[in-house]
Amino acid sequence: MVLQSPLKVQVLVSTVDKDAARLYKKMNIDTDAVIVNQCDKYAYKEFEQTHGSVKCFNMKERGVGLSRNTALLHAETDICLFSDEDIIFTEGLQNTVRETYIKYPEADMILFNVKVSPARRTYWNEKVKRIRWYNYGRYPAYSISGKLDSLRRANVHFSLLFGGGAKYSNGEDSLFLRDCLKSGLKIYAVPVCIGEEIERESTWFRGYTEKFFTDRGVLYHYLYGKLSLIFALRFLLKNKKEMCVEIPFKEAYALMKEGIRSQR
């Protein structure tokens, strides 16, 4: 499907205990938005902002995967852009996203750059590239956008087992991209920056603990299957100076193997 301008873009925001109208302005959103707010009550409201319409769903249930699925369920524009509450978008977000999809009409999904602190950076697109099975694991949810029709046809959703508020730590974003690839969607990464992350305390990271390595092993089982042990070793070799200070390399690898084997 070749998209024509003007396209409609909708930001899908997952947040906790926030006022939707204030958050919309703080994030510098200039598109329609669906905001899913995990809080202590159920409520729904719609309101208009200068640049677009906003749907806000308050829900008691916890879990970033559930939150993102709820937002995706209620999306209704041409292009969806996933986001967290700590992203501040650059001026002209809608035009930037719209023009990028027009430039790459064959793309079902596009992964954008978002500035983060060096300690948290897992990727930075220096050039346009196709995302494949071997390079999809570094991209956070706030980099992901997609054509709504393509996502609906692929019948993809975020895992409820991984991410903030779930049984296992992070990884719901990588699993989502894996499922999109398995469904045949064409994914591109582009050197286009759309925003910046404002540092805050992580909702899931509590250091390189036993749970961190075991959970990462569980994740790698689902991501890489028979190659999970090799990818686990590669991950630790690449990051051992940072991650294997309190828990030695061999013990960390044993914990990852324990997580992998727990799912077999």
Side-chain angles (χ1 to χ4, degrees):
M1 179 180 66
V2 177
L3 296 175
Q4 302 294 329
S5 184
L7 303 173
K8 292 285 286 181
V9 180
Q10 197 168 37
V11 178
L12 309 183
V13 184
S14 178
T15 186
V16 178
D17 289 325
K18 291 293 187 293
D19 178 89
R22 292 180 182 177
L23 183 63
Y24 181 94
K25 293 178 180 178
K26 178 183 177 182
M27 294 178 65
N28 199 34
I29 299 173
D30 69 355
T31 73
D32 290 350
V34 178
I35 298 176
V36 179
N37 183 36
Q38 300 169 74
C39 56
D40 60 356
K41 62 180 179 180
Y42 295 104
Y44 171 72
K45 62 179 178 180
E46 296 183 28
F47 56 93
E48 297 293 324
Q49 294 285 50
T50 304
H51 299 292
S53 301
V54 182
K55 295 180 178 181
C56 179
F57 296 84
N58 287 348
M59 53 191 295
K60 293 182 179 180
E61 293 83 3
R62 293 295 191 265
V64 69
L66 176 61
S67 179
R68 296 199 198 284
N69 288 338
T70 302
L72 183 58
L73 175 66
H74 294 282
E76 55 186 7
T77 59
D78 301 303
I79 305 297
C80 297
L81 181 66
F82 296 98
S83 185
D84 296 323
E85 64 185 53
D86 53 357
I87 304 300
I88 306 298
F89 291 108
T90 55
E91 294 294 331
L93 171 69
Q94 179 152 242
N95 285 336
T96 299
V97 173
R98 175 186 293 160
E99 290 168 5
T100 304
Y101 271 91
I102 292 173
K103 187 175 182 180
Y104 303 102
E106 70 278 14
D108 294 299
M109 301 173 69
I110 293 177
L111 310 181
F112 290 95
N113 282 337
V114 175
K115 295 178 182 177
V116 301
S117 65
R120 284 179 51 80
R121 179 178 291 179
T122 59
Y123 83 102
W124 187 258
N125 303 320
E126 299 284 355
K127 60 183 180 180
V128 178
K129 62 183 177 182
R130 183 82 177 264
I131 298 300
R132 307 285 190 178
W133 70 269
Y134 50 82
N135 65 353
Y136 70 86
R138 302 181 297 128
Y139 291 92
Y142 54 72
S143 71
I144 301 172
S145 70
K147 295 174 181 175
L148 182 58
D149 283 350
S150 296
L151 296 176
R152 291 265 167 85
R153 282 188 284 105
N155 193 30
V156 288
H157 61 274
F158 285 88
S159 171
L160 303 184
L161 277 177
F162 294 87
K167 181 176 181 179
Y168 302 111
S169 304
N170 68 325
E172 79 289 347
D173 35 24
S174 297
L175 288 164
F176 182 73
L177 289 175
R178 179 207 61 178
D179 291 346
C180 291
L181 287 169
K182 282 187 172 182
S183 296
L185 299 187
K186 295 179 181 178
I187 308 176
Y188 288 80
V190 298
V192 177
C193 185
I194 58 170
E196 181 175 3
E197 180 190 56
I198 304 303
E199 287 194 63
R200 58 167 178 162
E201 182 180 355
S202 173
T203 58
W204 67 270
F205 183 68
R206 297 295 180 267
Y208 300 112
T209 62
E210 291 185 1
K211 178 174 172 55
F212 172 87
F213 292 113
T214 303
D215 284 4
R216 183 57 59 114
V218 174
L219 174 64
Y220 274 32
H221 165 78
Y222 289 105
L223 289 179
Y224 304 117
K226 293 180 180 179
L227 297 176
S228 55
L229 290 174
I230 295 174
F231 274 86
L233 184 60
R234 176 178 175 270
F235 169 75
L236 288 175
L237 287 172
K238 181 180 179 181
N239 299 289
K240 64 180 180 180
K241 288 185 178 180
E242 177 186 1
M243 296 183 177
C244 300
V245 177
E246 295 186 12
I247 296 180
F249 177 88
K250 288 185 178 180
E251 184 179 344
Y253 187 47
L255 288 167
M256 288 193 70
K257 288 195 291 184
E258 179 184 327
I260 291 168
R261 289 166 178 163
S262 71
Q263 303 301 303
R264 292 177 176 174

